[in-house]
Amino acid sequence: MKISARVLAASQIWQDVLHGALIDQAMKSWSVQNRYAGSGDRRFISSLLYAMARNRYSFGGKDDLAMALAVCAHEGLGQAQDIRHDGLHHHLQEVRQAYDTIGEIPIQIQKLEMPDWLAEQFIGGVEAVKGLKGRADIILREHPHNPLNNDQELNFHGFQKTNISPFGWVRPHEDKRFRLEELAAYRDGFLEVQDEASQMACVLLAPEKGQRILDYCAGGGGKSLLISSLSQQSQIFVHDHDKKRMRDIPKRFGQAGLAIPTPWNEADRSFDLVLADVPCTGSGTWRRQPERRWQCDEAELANLLETQANIIRKAASLVREDGLLAYMTCSMLHLENTGQISAFLQGQDEFVPVPLAEWPGMCRAPKLPPQRGDGWLQWSPHLDGTDGFFMALLKKRDVK
């Protein structure tokens, strides 16, 4: 494909993205319908789409093709006027027609890349939103119970130890996509993908020997896997509203040499620790999925807030006396984080925030995020270099 056809394709796929498709999903769908496109074509178009998602307001306008050209030039992928000239002389009529009717190519305007209604919700304000502009690093994690004996392979591929987590490895993002399957240690199950903030949340919970732990929103089991590795003598139970999300848990635990968790029985209602990593906007991960900031609307947020409140109440009912409830999100929004905890604590007297100094694993955490409060921590890209991640720890007390 000529570069003008690639840019045109990106501008057309962009409409699918704005209507809710993730970029990777939209690219897969487009690739199936356009099998003539080679790997270089797909890589170029995908890179341009991610750049458009990160720069929509700065180069935005009514003409998607004009915006794609402007972003293309901004990213060093080609000069806008040269690409337009190529398009006007393309052998396909539909390409020539698109470039013949193109609007004015916009110039860059420095704007906050976030809808106003969302930006005002961010813990950390404008700087937190700006922190989502760049690309996120690749983060891997070792198993504490079975650490790597040799790190030469990771070093060869550009990985270094993380600054916050004692078990993490980081590799800066590059334009050329890195395939994790290139790492034998990853293929053999010695490494897992997990952001540093998520790792530290598990470390700070420091499960004790013999504790009964329920991962109420287990998903693929990443947090359960680390908690089990940190304390192999704990009993791990897992649950998820969507059972399909848990289908890889047995394989992941088996590959790591850990006991496979027990599916939760609803009659079992007395746990030492319940994790509730609730569904959320995922705003803390929008460096990885920048298109989501343009897809999330107020109706979606309202539905999520209702779901989160219901999950907190349900999860709290499963905590034994003197047990702990860990509420987690990969969000940076007040409403999903401190707002949910404040709302839950109001009107009830069973649960109280656990002061940070009393968190079980505090001795293992030499560096805490600067954004913190009474019983909660907020990790952020602009301050910690991690994904955005929130955790609050509550204790159930005897009120009889």
Side-chain angles (χ1 to χ4, degrees), residues 76-316:
L77 299 174
Q79 293 299 315
Q81 294 300 337
D82 292 342
I83 298 172
R84 184 178 184 180
H85 181 271
D86 180 80
L88 289 171
H89 295 83
H90 200 277
H91 67 280
L92 291 176
Q93 182 181 359
E94 62 186 84
V95 177
R96 294 197 304 271
Q97 211 165 30
Y99 279 92
D100 188 49
T101 57
I102 194 173
E104 183 180 355
I105 299 173
I107 59 173
Q108 184 179 15
I109 301 173
Q110 292 295 339
K111 294 190 68 174
L112 200 61
E113 295 292 341
M114 190 73 63
D116 291 342
W117 74 270
L118 259 178
E120 63 190 20
Q121 286 293 333
F122 270 72
I123 297 174
V126 171
E127 293 305 314
V129 175
K130 290 180 179 179
L132 293 170
K133 183 75 181 286
R135 295 179 174 181
D137 296 329
I138 300 171
I139 308 292
L140 300 177
R141 171 187 60 75
E142 300 180 47
H143 299 297
H145 76 286
N146 188 23
L148 292 173
N149 294 321
N150 190 327
D151 57 13
Q152 290 183 353
E153 182 188 29
L154 283 170
N155 291 330
F156 175 79
H157 285 281
F159 283 88
Q160 297 179 333
K161 291 293 291 183
T162 49
N163 293 323
I164 303 174
S165 170
F167 313 116
W169 290 87
V170 58
R171 182 182 190 271
H173 190 285
E174 297 176 355
D175 289 334
K176 183 178 180 181
R177 180 167 293 187
F178 174 75
R179 297 179 66 253
L180 290 174
E181 289 75 14
E182 296 178 32
L183 296 172
Y186 177 78
R187 295 195 305 270
D188 296 340
F190 291 101
L191 293 167
E192 291 282 335
V193 176
Q194 187 176 18
D195 186 69
E196 243 186 312
S198 177
Q199 294 180 39
M200 289 310 301
C202 297
V203 170
L204 284 164
L205 293 174
E208 297 177 6
K209 181 179 179 180
Q211 280 193 326
R212 303 180 75 249
I213 301 169
L214 171 62
D215 190 349
Y216 188 73
C217 305
K223 294 176 184 64
S224 293
L225 189 63
L226 178 50
I227 287 175
S228 180
S229 182
L230 288 165
S231 178
Q232 297 181 64
Q233 302 304 314
S234 297
Q235 293 178 272
I236 308 293
F237 299 80
V238 291
H239 168 73
D240 199 280
H241 176 72
D242 183 356
K243 299 296 188 292
K244 294 179 183 177
R245 298 185 66 211
M246 300 194 296
R247 61 179 176 267
D248 292 333
I249 287 180
K251 177 183 178 181
R252 294 177 72 182
F253 274 74
Q255 200 169 28
L258 295 168
I260 297 174
T262 304
W264 173 57
N265 183 328
E266 292 190 23
D268 193 350
R269 310 179 67 82
S270 182
F271 292 93
D272 298 292
L273 171 63
V274 176
L275 280 67
D277 186 3
V278 299
C280 67
T281 57
S283 52
T285 68
W286 286 354
R287 290 182 302 168
R288 304 180 191 278
Q289 293 182 322
E291 66 271 34
R292 281 289 296 135
R293 73 190 73 191
W294 310 118
Q295 297 170 347
C296 181
D297 58 25
E298 293 176 274
E300 178 186 344
L301 179 57
N303 289 333
L304 285 168
L305 293 174
E306 182 179 358
T307 298
Q308 293 160 3
N310 291 334
I311 290 175
I312 295 175
R313 290 192 293 269
K314 180 65 176 179

